[in-house]
Amino acid sequence: MKKRSWGYITLGLLVGALLGSLFGSLINWLLPEGVVKDFFNLGVSFDLAGLVGNQTGVIVIDLIIITVKFGLSIAFNITSFIGLVTAYYFLRFFR
């Protein structure tokens, strides 16, 4: 039995979450205002700068000669979670 690399698994899960988020955006665009649309919009967002208390979403390091900016934001909603679970399910069977 052949083992898969962590990179292959991570890429598969990332693609699943991305497709789930795209599907969620499509649902959000198609559905009228209401409880169902609010359910599919429900999600959580993490950003790198939020960990240090910066509200702009970007960490800035000013070294006088050069300024370095770091930013990373990840948003998960219900459909991205469904895409993640679906990708995991398919990864189990493609060996």
Side-chain angles (χ1 to χ4, degrees):
M1 193 145 116
K2 184 179 168 187
K3 291 281 231 182
R4 277 180 282 186
S5 69
W6 283 102
Y8 179 75
I9 294 170
T10 304
L11 180 66
L13 293 176
L14 184 66
V15 167
L18 180 66
L19 290 176
S21 292
L22 289 174
F23 182 69
S25 296
L26 179 68
I27 287 175
N28 187 23
W29 182 66
L30 292 174
L31 288 177
E33 294 295 325
V35 177
V36 177
K37 186 173 185 173
D38 291 341
F39 175 74
F40 283 112
N41 280 337
L42 182 66
V44 63
S45 178
F46 301 104
D47 59 352
L48 185 64
L51 297 174
V52 294
N54 188 353
Q55 297 299 322
T56 61
V58 178
I59 295 175
V60 179
I61 300 173
D62 190 5
L63 302 173
I64 299 175
I65 296 174
I66 189 169
T67 302
V68 181
K69 296 181 181 182
F70 297 100
L72 175 68
S73 178
I74 300 172
F76 286 107
N77 58 14
I78 299 298
T79 54
S80 63
F81 180 72
I82 292 171
L84 196 67
V85 170
T86 305
Y88 175 74
Y89 177 76
F90 282 118
L91 280 173
R92 291 183 60 208
F93 294 108
F94 289 112
R95 292 190 186 257

